[in-house]
């Protein structure tokens, strides 16, 4: 099956700092793929390079077979590729519902938008209860739910999730990952997941990549990575 996303020898960075040094990976439609690694390894930079927020200095990025290196970031959601960034980055002074409406900025199907807002409330009932509340007054977990729900308003084929568990209580993290599994299983959304909590990420994913100092050092089925002694020692706290 043709990958929905493929990176070939991608290099990128920040000025003189070379963050990615030849990253190659594939994501097949319908998968959840995890990228794990230490802080500063290049996980988030990988997602930002895919989205064009950080420019690829070398290499190729393909989405649905189309090279997207030069596609501007704001056009990618219209193509079905959307990112939920680290730190959520919701609009704090807008209400929950206004945040969701902005997620559908590129759409003009009013009935479909209304239906998808209701679907977001079905997935995240707490957002329905808070629909008139300003985003900035929500808890961290509620803001993460809103960030994911806003991304779903673009009707993504491929959803990039950057550290969805960051700073959240364990019970909220489990709720978030249950929803991620539901989005993948019931809606068929393909997910590329960057996550500091390697154990959680590999439990959710079908395959995984390990990034160290800007390079992919290991690729395998998620279950195999969880049994790998080096991975267990380095990332799973054993």
């Amino acid at each position: 099956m043709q990958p929905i996303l493929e990176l070939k020898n991608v290099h990128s960075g920040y000025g003189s700092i070379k963050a990615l040094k030849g990253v190659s990976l594939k994501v097949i439609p319908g998968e959840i793929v995890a990228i794990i690694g230490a802080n500063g390894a290049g996980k988030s930079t990988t997602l930002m390079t895919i989205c064009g927020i950080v420019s690829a200095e070398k290499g190729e990025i393909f989405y649905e077979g189309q090279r997207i290196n030069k596609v501007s970031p704001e056009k990618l959601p219209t193509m079905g590729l959307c990112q939920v960034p680290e730190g959520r980055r919701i609009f704090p002074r807008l209400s929950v519902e206004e945040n969701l409406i902005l997620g559908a900025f590129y759409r003009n199907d009013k009935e479909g938008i209304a239906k998808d807002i209701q679907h977001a409330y079905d997935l995240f009932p707490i957002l329905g209860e808070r629909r008139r509340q300003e985003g900035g007054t929500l808890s961290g977990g509620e803001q993460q739910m809103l960030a994911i729900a806003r991304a779903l308003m673009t009707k993504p084929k491929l959803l990039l999730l950057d550290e969805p568990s960051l700073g959240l209580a364990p019970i909220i993290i489990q709720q978030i990952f249950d929803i991620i599994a539901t989005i993948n299983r019931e809606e068929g959304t393909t997910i590329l997941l960057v996550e500091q909590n390697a154990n959680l990420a590999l439990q959710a994913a079908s395959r995984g990549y390990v990034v160290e100092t800007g390079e992919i050092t290991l690729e395998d089925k998620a279950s195999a990575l969880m049994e790998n002694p080096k991975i267990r020692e380095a990332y799973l706290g054993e």
Side-chain angles (χ1 to χ4, degrees):
M1 183 181 294
Q2 180 180 350
I4 189 171
L5 177 73
E6 184 170 11
L7 277 63
K8 296 183 177 181
N9 191 35
V10 171
H11 295 245
S12 70
Y14 309 89
S16 61
I17 300 172
K18 306 304 178 186
L20 301 186
K21 307 166 187 174
V23 167
S24 296
L25 61 80
K26 294 180 181 180
V27 180
I28 304 301
E31 286 189 308
I32 298 179
V33 174
I35 301 176
I36 65 171
N39 282 331
K43 304 186 303 297
S44 293
T45 301
T46 300
L47 297 193
M48 290 193 289
T49 304
I50 292 167
C51 291
I53 298 167
V54 176
S55 296
E57 300 164 2
K58 182 181 177 182
E60 297 179 300
I61 304 170
F62 294 93
Y63 171 71
E64 292 194 315
Q66 177 182 343
R67 191 173 185 270
I68 61 170
N69 291 54
K70 300 299 183 182
V71 175
S72 59
E74 65 270 15
K75 289 186 178 180
L76 293 175
T78 69
M79 299 166 64
L81 195 165
C82 190
Q83 180 180 5
V84 179
E86 181 181 347
R88 298 138 202 166
R89 301 187 189 180
I90 61 163
F91 297 99
R93 295 188 178 182
L94 298 183
S95 70
V96 166
E97 191 146 309
E98 287 168 338
N99 269 272
L100 295 178
I101 290 169
L102 278 178
F105 178 79
Y106 295 103
R107 297 171 55 185
N108 54 20
D109 55 322
K110 290 185 178 181
E111 289 186 7
I113 291 169
K115 182 178 179 180
D116 288 339
I117 289 173
Q118 184 56 53
H119 181 55
Y121 295 150
D122 292 339
L123 280 173
F124 301 102
I126 191 66
L127 296 184
E129 297 174 17
R130 306 269 197 271
R131 66 180 68 194
R132 305 301 177 200
Q133 191 170 322
E134 287 187 358
T137 66
L138 301 178
S139 70
E142 291 163 356
Q143 289 187 23
Q144 185 63 68
M145 293 176 187
L146 178 56
I148 294 172
R150 183 182 62 187
L152 293 178
M153 292 299 297
T154 69
K155 301 186 79 67
K157 300 175 185 177
L158 174 61
L159 186 63
L160 310 182
L161 295 175
D162 194 354
E163 302 283 10
S165 77
L166 189 65
L168 303 183
I171 189 169
I172 301 299
I173 292 171
Q174 191 56 57
Q175 290 178 17
I176 296 289
F177 272 77
D178 286 346
I179 292 296
I180 290 170
T182 297
I183 293 166
N184 173 254
R185 182 182 62 251
E186 297 185 6
E187 302 184 19
T189 305
T190 306
I191 295 171
L192 180 58
L193 168 68
V194 159
E195 177 55 59
Q196 185 68 31
N197 187 327
N199 191 48
L200 198 62
L202 294 175
Q203 286 181 33
S206 52
R207 289 191 304 113
Y209 291 88
V210 180
V211 180
E212 296 178 1
T213 60
E215 299 179 89
I216 301 289
T217 58
L218 191 59
E219 170 200 355
D220 211 331
K221 292 181 180 179
S223 57
L225 290 174
M226 292 186 74
E227 296 300 323
N228 185 307
K230 291 183 179 179
I231 300 302
R232 295 178 73 88
E233 180 180 359
Y235 302 111
L236 303 182
E238 297 187 6

